[in-house]
Amino acid sequence: MESREDVRGQVLDFVFDGKFERYHADLAKLLEDPIFNYQAGLNQSQAGHLTYERSRFVHARIESPLEVLSQPYRLFALAEWPALMDVAAFSVLMVHYNLTLGSFFDHGLDRPGLAPHIKNLNELQHFGPFMATELGYGNNVAALRTTAEYDPATRTFRINTPDVLAQKYMSYSGFSDIQKTAVVMARLKYAGKDHGVYPFAVPLCNEDGMRPGIIASPCPEKPVQGLDNGLTWFDNVQIPAGNALLGQGEYVGEDGQLHLKSNNSRTRFLSSMSRIVPGRLCVASAGLGSARASVYLALKYAGRRLTNFPAQGDAPIIAYRSHHGPLFRALANGVGMTALLNRVKREYVTDTSHVPTKLSALISVVKCAATWEATSIINTCRERCGAQGIFSVNRIADYVSLLQGLVTAEGDNAVLMSTAISQLLGDSSPEAPAKLKAVGHISAGDVPVLLDLIQEHKKVALRNKLRQDEDADFTSLWNSAIEDAIDLGTSMAKSLGSREMVEACTRVRDAQTRQGLEALIKLFGLVEIERSAVFCIANGLLQAADLNAIQRQILECYDLLLTSYEGIIDGFGISEELLRAPLAASNYAVSFTRACGQPEYLYN
Ligand SMILES: Cc1cc2nc3c(=O)[nH]c(=O)nc-3n(C[C@H](O)[C@H](O)[C@H](O)COP(=O)(O)OP(=O)(O)OC[C@H]3O[C@@H](n4cnc5c(N)ncnc54)[C@H](O)[C@@H]3O)c2cc1C
């Protein structure tokens, strides 16, 4: 019999791919500091400033940002943990570490002129906003219109906003009392010619506030993430020529000559936006971290909140099928998507300097599938907690708002998923995939095989649809297939996630824990087959009667999980003490009463 600690360690390894102690444990511990206590009654500006303070706190206690950037697993862990206690901290930290300093890391470490900016950002003397999106250029950001025109007389670039649609939008320029150096994406213009989009280092605010020529205002209020997302206009802002973060071997010479490599505009843009690829892994990490925390909170509460059961008296609400069913589905999807993310992170870290197109597209699929799934998980958990689910102090409601940002930022899911699938579609095998085996009694090991076949059939169907009418113009052809492409992306993610779960499960030694995890894998697979049932029946892969067998097996999984779920969430690396959410406390009634400020004598 293994000890509870041993078993917990095995589940931690399963969830965190064996990397919890090395990359996550100290970050989780940091969150116990009182600076992360919930603070009531803050206005938008106070909440935003507190987030910057908390970000400074984290920065001061871990290795430097440049060291974090050199260990991608550490960056991903940083994306995951502070967001659990302050969802806006995800945005501040990840924009600063990954997008902004990361742009210097990728394009400017060896340029002496940039050293003071890198020092300021690395030491967090300055925060670093990343300014790509413009009011009229979001998903179409490649067409952005801010210009950086070279002025040979002064050997500077002049940054300009040509019109209202080209104002930088959503980046963090709303507070001018925090010193900042931004990375601004702009079109490099030299001798009247547009050379494409490059990153430029632009000091935004110093101790005297916003620099002359930069006109910025905070965007209107939005719920929860009280940060300083802003609208920014550049009016002839001069920066030294060396502030252009050009590619390897690209520079403005002493003689004022511009030396660029001839890249097509798409390659140039992707190279300038290189940090978006690890950024998407960070986004997925934050979304799934919050999703797992929501499941943890909702299941803890479900085990303690009593309600009357027909003819039985009081029992915990988890006993109801209508309660544990959705929560166990959420648990299975949260763990399954985490396994998928682990797999793709491993592929990414093998060579961060060269990310093949196919891997980049797969990372996009993972970002979308993970954040969509996390949105659904968090909303389910919110609802299953009743009124307790709507209070910020109980965390889950704040995670709802985090996910609203994550599905849109760093590539809106609908656009990103469909584009990524169009890049991955060519890989499907030309032959028709095999039929599905019978689904009457499936095992955990069958799940990846079944899900793989379903996604292969969907690929073939999508390719056929795109070929159907060769006379049709591409827009109408693509429009007829775009929703299928998004659906295929989800199936692809589920298939890969299930394979990774099965592999990770073989490393779990404790037989009882493995049995619980196998039930979770089976549930993950059955739920995906159920989701794809219309496609499967329409394409002759399943009979309508098979759905009864699927339903029966889903209920069997629920029963198995009722006896094993606690061991699984025990391995999420979180605790009631860390999250400090009254609803998950052992005595939630007292904790909530205290959080409301009722006098102690009532409950002590
Ligand atoms: C919380 C938050 C923080 C952010 N922080 C930053 C930041 O620090 N720096 C920065 O530069 N940007 C930032 N952004 C901006 C973010 O990158 C953009 O919001 C994102 O790129 C989407 O652009 P958009 O909002 O203009 O949406 P739009 O492009 O206007 O899209 C609106 C809708 O239209 C649909 N749509 C658009 N194009 C297509 C298409 N081709 N095919 C099908 N459907 C389409 C989309 O699916 C979406 O539903 C942030 C955004 C958020 C929400």
Side-chain angles (χ1 to χ4, degrees):
M1 178 84 182
E2 310 226 20
S3 72
R4 183 167 174 203
E5 261 322 289
D6 276 350
V7 172
R8 180 173 174 270
Q10 290 172 39
V11 184
L12 268 177
D13 283 350
F14 177 90
V15 174
F16 290 92
D17 205 17
K19 298 178 175 64
F20 184 79
E21 284 307 324
R22 176 146 179 218
Y23 296 107
H24 297 258
D26 64 327
L27 290 171
K29 190 84 193 135
L30 273 187
L31 303 185
E32 290 175 13
D33 190 277
I35 194 171
F36 286 105
N37 285 352
Y38 176 72
Q39 291 200 27
L42 303 182
N43 64 28
Q44 176 107 348
S45 166
Q46 290 164 330
H49 280 88
L50 177 60
T51 297
Y52 279 97
E53 255 338 286
R54 287 169 169 165
S55 303
R56 283 197 183 93
F57 172 87
V58 172
H59 169 270
R61 280 156 187 82
I62 63 172
E63 63 273 39
S64 77
L66 286 174
E67 285 169 284
V68 170
L69 284 165
S70 65
Q71 312 172 69
Y73 275 120
R74 187 64 165 162
L75 182 70
F76 304 146
L78 186 60
E80 196 166 321
W81 289 95
L84 294 184
M85 307 304 280
D86 179 346
V87 293
F90 164 80
S91 311
V92 169
L93 287 167
M94 284 304 110
V95 168
H96 180 86
Y97 278 69
N98 178 56
L99 295 177
T100 301
L101 192 55
S103 295
F104 287 87
F105 188 79
D106 282 3
H107 307 290
L109 275 191
D110 54 353
R111 293 169 198 249
L114 293 174
H117 298 305
I118 293 173
K119 184 169 184 291
N120 278 339
L121 292 167
N122 197 40
E123 293 175 358
L124 207 55
Q125 304 300 328
H126 285 204
F127 277 90
F130 182 78
M131 303 183 136
T133 311
E134 298 174 357
L135 191 52
Y137 303 91
N139 285 293
N140 50 339
V141 68
L144 65 83
R145 307 221 342 277
T146 300
T147 55
E149 185 150 20
Y150 185 68
D151 175 3
T154 54
R155 296 202 65 245
T156 58
F157 284 100
R158 291 172 186 272
I159 312 283
N160 274 296
T161 301
D163 60 45
V164 72
L165 278 176
Q167 289 174 95
K168 292 297 178 186
Y169 166 51
M170 291 305 285
S171 30
Y172 299 98
S173 61
F175 296 154
S176 53
D177 57 347
I178 294 176
Q179 298 197 58
K180 293 176 181 168
T181 298
V183 162
V184 175
M185 305 301 291
R187 301 198 158 274
L188 190 160
K189 290 189 129 187
Y190 183 89
K193 188 174 169 216
D194 179 344
H195 289 270
V197 174
Y198 284 85
F200 293 84
V202 182
L204 276 193
C205 328
N206 55 26
E207 53 281 347
D208 301 323
M210 204 59 82
R211 286 184 59 218
I214 303 174
I215 305 109
S217 305
C219 289
E221 282 190 7
K222 55 182 166 37
V224 187
Q225 292 194 48
L227 273 178
D228 60 327
N229 302 87
L231 209 52
T232 314
W233 189 297
F234 295 100
D235 183 12
N236 220 19
V237 174
Q238 248 177 308
I239 53 164
N243 281 23
L245 296 163
L246 305 178
Q248 203 69 43
E250 297 182 319
Y251 58 95
V252 182
E254 287 298 316
D255 54 357
Q257 278 298 310
L258 178 66
H259 299 263
L260 294 180
K261 292 181 178 158
S262 57
N263 281 320
N264 74 33
S265 60
R266 182 81 196 144
T267 315
R268 149 76 10 242
F269 181 73
L270 291 178
S271 160
S272 294
M273 296 285 281
S274 57
R275 295 312 298 184
I276 212 81
V277 175
R280 288 176 180 149
L281 292 170
C282 292
V283 165
S285 303
L288 291 173
S290 312
R292 289 195 307 275
S294 300
V295 176
Y296 176 91
L297 291 166
L299 282 170
K300 285 281 174 194
Y301 185 56
R304 290 169 182 153
R305 164 93 166 96
L306 301 181
T307 191
N308 57 321
F309 232 64
Q312 201 186 310
D314 277 352
I317 45 175
I318 194 161
Y320 278 101
R321 275 271 189 259
S322 57
H323 205 86
H324 63 240
L327 288 183
F328 289 160
R329 283 168 181 248
L331 177 64
N333 283 333
V335 172
M337 288 294 102
T338 301
L340 167 71
L341 181 59
N342 288 340
R343 178 207 148 125
V344 177
K345 281 176 183 171
R346 276 203 308 275
E347 277 190 50
Y348 170 74
V349 300
T350 53
D351 182 4
T352 56
S353 64
H354 174 68
V355 183
T357 310
K358 196 176 148 197
L359 177 58
S360 176
L362 183 59
I363 288 172
S364 298
V365 168
V366 173
K367 183 266 181 185
C368 303
T371 54
W372 266 330
E373 207 58 71
T375 301
S376 156
I377 292 167
I378 292 166
N379 282 322
T380 296
C381 294
R382 205 301 301 146
E383 192 179 337
R384 296 277 70 75
C385 293
Q388 287 289 338
I390 66 175
F391 298 108
S392 283
V393 70
N394 281 330
R395 311 283 173 205
I396 300 175
D398 283 13
Y399 301 155
V400 172
S401 104
L402 173 68
L403 264 297
Q404 284 177 0
L406 297 185
V407 296
T408 295
E410 308 213 19
D412 167 84
N413 278 7
V415 182
L416 193 61
M417 183 70 114
S418 51
T419 313
I421 289 300
S422 71
Q423 288 165 341
L424 292 170
L425 201 53
D427 292 324
S428 60
S429 68
E431 316 98 55
K435 291 277 176 203
L436 250 55
K437 75 179 253 308
V439 293
H441 294 280
I442 70 168
S443 68
D446 293 332
V447 168
V449 182
L450 288 166
L451 298 195
D452 195 39
L453 280 174
I454 291 176
Q455 65 102 14
E456 279 300 328
H457 279 278
K458 286 186 178 179
K459 262 187 195 169
V460 171
L462 180 57
R463 291 173 91 195
N464 288 342
K465 198 168 196 175
L466 284 169
R467 274 204 209 102
Q468 244 168 32
D469 181 359
E470 282 174 359
D471 293 335
D473 67 280
F474 180 76
T475 310
S476 47
L477 209 51
W478 182 236
N479 252 344
S480 72
I482 196 162
E483 287 179 303
D484 298 340
I486 291 171
D487 171 59
L488 169 61
T490 304
S491 292
M492 204 182 264
K494 295 287 169 89
S495 160
L496 289 171
S498 71
R499 191 165 298 282
E500 183 63 29
M501 272 207 279
V502 169
E503 276 171 33
C505 197
T506 59
R507 296 191 286 273
V508 174
R509 295 179 308 278
D510 181 67
Q512 213 182 339
T513 308
R514 211 170 44 237
Q515 211 178 20
L517 289 170
E518 281 168 0
L520 201 70
I521 296 168
K522 218 172 119 173
L523 179 60
F524 179 77
L526 290 162
V527 167
E528 170 57 11
I529 298 172
E530 185 191 55
R531 190 189 73 83
S532 297
V534 171
F535 173 88
C536 290
I537 291 172
N539 288 276
L541 303 174
L542 288 179
Q543 307 293 318
D546 288 329
L547 295 185
N548 290 330
I550 289 167
Q551 283 306 316
R552 174 183 47 74
Q553 292 175 91
I554 286 179
L555 298 185
E556 287 167 10
C557 291
Y558 291 169
D559 287 338
L560 274 165
L561 286 167
L562 273 171
T563 58
S564 53
Y565 80 88
E566 283 173 296
I568 297 174
I569 60 171
D570 212 19
F572 280 6
I574 40 187
S575 62
E576 293 160 27
E577 295 70 37
L578 184 148
L579 292 174
R580 312 201 267 293
L583 100 166
S586 52
N587 190 337
Y588 75 84
V590 165
S591 285
F592 188 72
T593 306
R594 186 176 289 126
C596 293
Q598 286 282 66
E600 284 240 353
Y601 71 84
L602 291 175
Y603 52 88
N604 248 346

